[in-house]
Amino acid sequence: MTGLLDPGTAAVVVRGAAVAGPLLVLVALCVRRTPSPRAVGAAVTATAWAVLLLLPLNVAASSFGWWTFHATGAVWFGVPVDLWLGWSLLWGAVPALVLSQLRAEQGRGAGTLVVLTAALVWLDLALMPLGEPVVVLGGHWLVGEALGVATALVPALLLARWTLRRTHVVLRAWGQAVWAGGLLLALPVLALSPESRWPAPVTSIGVQLTLLVCLPGLAAMRELAAVGRGTPLPYDPPSRLVTSGPYAYVRNPMQATIAASYAGLALTFGEPALLLGTLIAVGYSAGLGEWHEGEQLEQAFGPPYQAYRAAVRPWLPRWRPASVLPAATLWVAADCVECTGVARWFARRSPVSLEIRPAADHPEVLYRITYEAPAMRAPAIRAPAIRAQGVAAVARALAHVHLGWALAGWAIDLPGVRHFGQLGADAFGAGPRPSRPATCASGVAGGPRAVVTSSARP
């Protein structure tokens, strides 16, 4: 159809249809059935993932010749912004709302996801050749299409489905961490493209310190998923009150992380404009976040949240964790030199709400040092204990000492770091073996904490 129009008019039609088409479908879906909060959450997270991944895909497409863009105005890194956003809605919010409505009407069949994915791929294959003169396809454009489906479409649909079904909460949380970090930090910095005013070593140190500042935010996200069984997204909140991890030190660890990251980047690159991100993060948290989220938490959890709010400051972190930190137990060994050394180290530092007990007293046979803690919860929910073993157990226990050691623990507990750490510990003689009563008990000092009389290696 665009072949019948002059190139200028055809470009306007293509770019207008790229945005108007998905928007009209979204409006129709919302009119047909008002989205539930969880459906909104699914639409937001799927669209955000698509927005983040489709930009580098289109930049790479131009570099590799899969397709090129011929447009002027509203172009970023050579990509028309309207096509980018329209494509993101088509692969994000639209299928998320379709999934929510089909699920409400027909159940939870996995076949629906496969059919929907196939339909969107077919639609994209049909529409891409119609994008001329704005989008000009190269000879190997199907390679780029396949890469987009694998990295943007399929993960976006999975995140939407898991959000709707309330499953795979850890993967959902990590997905949100990726797109939130990309959209809230990486893209604004990319848009400003600051050039450092300092020598390279100073810039390198600044970047590393900024990454260190990100640790509480990542740890808070994991805590919401592992303990609260929810995510940071307001439409997909935790079902349990979370007062452990970074939340034992500061009430707004994620907003504080974003604000501190922007401040660190502003100093690192000598770019005052980046401080605007700090102001926005503080303004949101002190305004809408404090009012809306605080009200929701008080309604959901009542007196426990009020006690937590009174004990933990919103922005200035505590040095020692608050007493609202759930009481935990570290089960350790007596006939294991490594274990008793770890236990004594913790006992000397008087950790908050952490009891050290013999692994042989545990009702199960333990094979490594084990950390267990109950989850703070709503009255109607039966929450299982939080359990970590080996290096992960030590990392969790470090959060009971003080903020410095908590940062080290959150770094150790990152995926990859934790696994390599465990392999290293095992290689140096801390491999698993069953707990059993020791004939010669080895005591551990530390006030009310118990004497270690069992064997469970880290």
Side-chain angles (χ1 to χ4, degrees), residues 45-418:
T45 195
T47 303
W49 182 272
V51 167
L52 181 64
L53 271 295
L54 284 176
L55 179 62
L57 171 70
N58 283 295
V59 172
S62 297
S63 300
F64 289 105
W66 298 331
W67 57 79
T68 55
F69 297 102
H70 301 270
T72 57
V75 174
W76 194 38
F77 287 98
V79 181
V81 175
D82 37 24
L83 267 67
W84 172 33
L85 297 180
W87 200 350
S88 301
L89 291 174
L90 186 63
W91 278 12
V94 169
L97 293 186
V98 170
L99 281 175
S100 70
Q101 296 190 10
L102 290 177
R103 178 176 176 270
E105 295 171 1
Q106 301 176 8
R108 305 183 178 185
T112 302
L113 186 66
V114 175
V115 172
L116 184 57
T117 304
L120 288 169
V121 172
W122 176 86
L123 181 62
D124 217 52
L125 294 176
L127 292 178
M128 287 287 281
L130 301 178
E132 292 190 6
V134 180
V135 182
V136 177
L137 302 180
H140 300 285
W141 71 276
L142 291 178
V143 175
E145 178 72 16
L147 183 62
V149 169
T151 60
L153 176 60
V154 172
L157 291 181
L158 288 174
L159 287 171
R161 185 168 189 260
W162 294 339
T163 301
L164 292 168
R165 297 184 64 185
R166 305 185 186 189
T167 57
H168 299 87
V169 65
V170 174
L171 291 177
R172 293 201 326 260
W174 274 111
Q176 289 183 24
V178 170
W179 64 251
L183 298 182
L184 298 180
L185 280 175
L187 285 189
V189 172
L190 191 63
L192 289 173
S193 300
E195 295 184 4
S196 178
R197 303 177 185 181
W198 321 120
V202 176
T203 303
S204 175
I205 292 172
V207 170
Q208 293 176 58
L209 290 176
T210 302
L211 292 175
L212 181 65
V213 167
C214 291
L215 281 176
L218 288 173
M221 174 276 298
R222 294 184 63 233
E223 207 72 12
L224 288 180
V227 179
R229 311 307 298 169
T231 70
L233 195 66
Y235 300 104
D236 186 20
S239 56
R240 304 161 183 161
L241 180 61
V242 179
T243 62
S244 53
Y247 289 96
Y249 291 90
V250 64
R251 206 160 69 231
N252 301 320
M254 293 186 193
Q255 293 94 326
T257 290
I258 294 174
S261 296
Y262 271 113
L265 290 172
L267 291 173
T268 298
F269 294 104
E271 178 55 71
L274 288 170
L275 290 175
L276 181 61
T278 299
L279 295 177
I280 292 174
V282 173
Y284 167 81
S285 180
L288 181 62
E290 184 71 15
W291 166 68
H292 180 64
E293 294 177 13
E295 186 177 81
Q296 284 187 328
L297 288 168
E298 188 159 356
Q299 289 178 354
F301 304 110
Y305 173 71
Q306 294 171 0
Y308 168 74
R309 183 186 177 93
V312 181
R313 294 182 290 260
W315 287 99
L316 183 62
R318 301 169 56 98
W319 178 244
R320 295 270 286 174
S323 58
V324 294
L325 181 66
T329 303
L330 191 65
W331 302 90
V332 294
D335 62 348
C336 162
V337 175
E338 297 91 344
C339 298
T340 54
V342 169
R344 288 193 183 92
W345 186 92
F346 276 105
R348 286 195 299 268
R349 284 156 180 80
S350 302
V352 176
S353 301
L354 182 67
E355 181 183 15
I356 302 173
R357 295 191 59 188
D361 290 350
H362 197 280
E364 302 175 22
V365 175
L366 301 179
Y367 288 82
R368 299 183 186 274
I369 280 185
T370 301
Y371 172 99
E372 288 184 337
M376 296 287 290
R377 52 190 168 87
I381 300 175
R382 297 183 63 187
I386 304 304
R387 170 180 280 198
Q389 295 184 317
V391 168
V394 175
R396 271 201 164 271
L398 287 172
H400 291 257
V401 181
H402 60 60
L403 184 58
W405 283 115
L407 285 169
W410 300 332
I412 292 170
D413 211 17
L414 288 172
V417 177
R418 178 177 67 248

